[in-house]
Amino acid sequence: MRWLFVFLGAVILAAVAAVIVVLPDDPPSKPVSRQVSATPTRDDPTPQVSEFTDPCGTFDTGEKAPYAVTGYWVTPKSNPCTWRKQMQEIHSLGGDTVIRIGYGLQYRELDSQGRVRAKDGKVDSLYEPCEEDGLSCHDAAERDLKAANPGNRIARTYVYRTDEAFGPDLFRCAQMERSIPAGKRVYYRVLAPMDGSDDATCDFGKAKPYDLILIAGAANDSLTELLDLGDRFGLRVFPALPLAPRDPEVPIRANPKHLGTLTTLTRRILQDYGVRFADRASLGGVYQPFEVQMSSTLVSNPTLRVYADQHTIVEQELPDKPILISPYLDARKRVPFGQTPKQVAEGFKALAQTGVGIIAPQDSRGTGKVGLFWPDERGEEVDERLRPVVGESTYGTAYHGSTRDYYREMSLVREEMLEAGHEVQLWANVEAFEPSGDQPCAASGTRGKTDKKRLDQAVTMAGRYVQKIVSYMWSDFMTCGSPSLETEVMKDWGRPIAVDAIRHARDVQDGIEVRGYNLTDGTVTVEWPGGSVDLDVATAGWLDEDPLEELPEGMRTAWVPFDWGQAKPGDWLRIGVRLPSGQETTERLHVRVGA
């Protein structure tokens, strides 16, 4: 997954590693009832009008099918009408958050005329039009530096492409830095000391080596357009920060040699954002798209310095706007780098300590690196769609744990981090694709379409422990195939999804507390070896439609009376919810009865 955008965590006893605790004398711990600054859905911008018309057509700003997933990644598009169409579609499914995939900072070699070379050694056509006074932008910049002091020189040249346009606050030193229009492109020339100090004195009189950062931007700013659409549709936008150059020896890590330059570019872009967008409600935060695997050894990964440095800059330039990151999980037993749930929790701790505000781990079901299964299903054969990744195997043989195990352990560590003063949220990034498909959804690769039943299953597994559920991604994966996943959700959005069930007494009456989506007018269904019962919430229990706890948007809590003595200790209960329409949970909760 490349680029990668968007709530809860009541904690279950750690002693039961794979199930929901149901012991009456040892109830689950209560969630921390608090809001942190990263929360984007409690004061979302309100759509300005019910509909609006522009050259792209007429667009409805209302919600039609509010689903449990409330945020999506999107890819850059050159057609503004495509942006508008995507924003309408996302918001109509209850989406309130959009996360943009971005671009990377790259170190480049030059030819004899100072022109930027592409990776194949040829002149890069994207940067070739950048000229001043008949010189390449590199040679013109070096000429100006040497005019200030003959000992000045450009030691390294970097390039960064974007569809954004920047204001004058991108620059620190007007005598050396400038924008250079060239047709549909605007190039930005940024010069800074190689150590990343980015001296604001603009003293070029002392001989120094400098980094040249050449930005290929756009004449019209895509971020302004996205924020305007955010205002229209009541969406929060997370633009992408520059992606760090990769270590050529270990590509999954950032290259330490270039982190100072990355810090300079990040600082300049956020200075510009701070002047132009700091007061925009539709700016939800910023997204750092460099992915890392969550592991116990993550603390030694130089990419964490990227997160920490950029967090410091965000605090300075965009107070109260969090950095969002989306690391990935790998639970496979048959690879040497597969991690257990507790090892992943250590990785979460290391990430939280960098100061990032939102950690949205990829559930990794789409890539096949983690499975969706319950503890009593460890001996069952894996979903056939996972076989291209783990082969013919049982879940217990293929994986160290299920998605639910990993998010539970991360939620426990998150509580520790909150107590230690680290304001961090845990989101779930559920992958809306399969490892492969007959008709691949993306332009490259084999990843194929999934279905709503499987997406509901992913929500069931992770929703208990997070503050928000987002999905990679809208562009391609939600819209490909026939019917598309978007169409499936639109038709079936009202189906109940239960994410948690615990033993909970009300006054003197024993019962079950169920959390989930679309529980109104529902009937809780319970099956166990030797028996079953249907319990109508409205008649026998109660529904809390506005829980005080820190729950994801749209989640509710229902309670019904139930005599747990009907089942034996060690039995597995299957708990679901059915509506009068006949819609019922496609993934039932598996709850083990305690002694």
Side-chain angles (χ1 to χ4, degrees), residues 104-402:
L105 176 70
Q106 298 180 7
Y107 168 73
R108 291 289 186 85
E109 300 288 347
L110 306 171
D111 72 357
S112 60
Q113 300 177 51
R115 296 177 299 182
V116 175
R117 292 184 186 272
K119 293 181 180 180
D120 62 4
K122 299 178 181 179
V123 174
D124 193 323
S125 60
L126 178 61
Y127 300 94
E128 188 175 11
C130 188
E131 293 184 349
E132 292 185 88
D133 305 325
L135 300 172
S136 68
C137 282
H138 170 274
D139 286 359
E142 193 159 61
R143 174 201 62 190
D144 296 342
L145 280 172
K146 288 184 177 297
N149 187 310
N152 285 335
R153 65 185 177 88
I154 294 176
R156 301 183 298 188
T157 299
Y158 294 84
V159 297
Y160 177 67
R161 65 169 296 185
T162 180
D163 57 357
E164 296 181 36
F166 301 105
D169 291 281
L170 180 74
F171 306 122
R172 283 196 177 217
C173 304
Q175 73 270 38
M176 289 293 173
E177 300 178 322
R178 61 182 65 105
S179 58
I180 306 160
K184 295 182 179 180
R185 285 280 180 185
V186 176
Y187 295 91
Y188 300 89
R189 187 177 97 178
V190 174
L191 289 162
M194 294 178 64
D195 61 2
S197 59
D198 202 13
D199 187 1
T201 64
C202 298
D203 181 8
F204 295 92
K206 297 179 181 179
K208 286 183 181 179
Y210 287 87
D211 284 335
L212 167 66
I213 306 173
L214 190 60
I215 303 172
N220 298 314
D221 184 31
S222 65
L223 182 53
T224 297
E225 182 178 347
L226 281 175
L227 293 176
D228 289 344
L229 289 171
D231 292 335
R232 290 278 194 183
F233 289 103
L235 293 163
R236 288 185 182 267
V237 178
F238 283 72
L241 295 174
L243 186 73
R246 296 185 181 277
D247 188 327
E249 302 297 326
V250 189
I252 60 174
R253 295 187 173 197
N255 192 334
K257 295 180 180 178
H258 305 302
L259 294 188
T261 312
L262 178 75
T263 298
T264 295
L265 177 60
T266 303
R267 182 185 300 113
R268 299 301 193 86
I269 290 175
L270 291 179
Q271 283 177 182
D272 178 65
Y273 286 1
V275 173
R276 295 192 293 140
F277 304 132
D279 296 329
R280 294 290 294 264
S282 52
L283 180 64
V286 290
Y287 167 56
Q288 172 45 253
F290 200 108
E291 297 176 3
V292 294
Q293 181 186 348
M294 300 195 73
S295 69
S296 58
T297 60
L298 191 55
V299 67
S300 62
N301 190 321
T303 311
L304 267 63
R305 180 183 155 194
V306 174
Y307 300 154
D309 289 352
Q310 292 187 336
H311 166 69
T312 300
I313 299 170
V314 170
E315 279 195 326
Q316 294 169 349
E317 307 297 339
L318 293 171
D320 301 322
K321 303 291 186 182
I323 290 180
L324 182 154
I325 61 173
S326 188
Y328 65 92
L329 309 178
D330 197 328
R332 291 175 294 173
K333 285 184 175 180
R334 292 170 176 170
V335 296
F337 41 81
Q339 299 285 293
T340 67
K342 289 191 179 297
Q343 288 174 317
V344 162
E346 287 300 310
F348 184 94
K349 182 182 296 185
L351 292 171
Q353 289 172 340
T354 68
V356 297
I358 302 169
I359 303 174
Q362 302 162 33
D363 74 349
S364 296
R365 168 56 182 80
T367 59
K369 296 174 182 176
V370 186
L372 303 174
F373 60 95
W374 298 96
D376 57 326
E377 295 177 330
R378 295 181 64 84
E380 295 187 9
E381 293 293 319
V382 299
D383 185 329
E384 64 179 11
R385 293 173 291 187
L386 294 171
R387 291 174 188 170
V389 182
V390 296
E392 294 187 8
S393 175
T394 65
Y395 283 110
T397 300
Y399 299 110
H400 289 291
S402 73

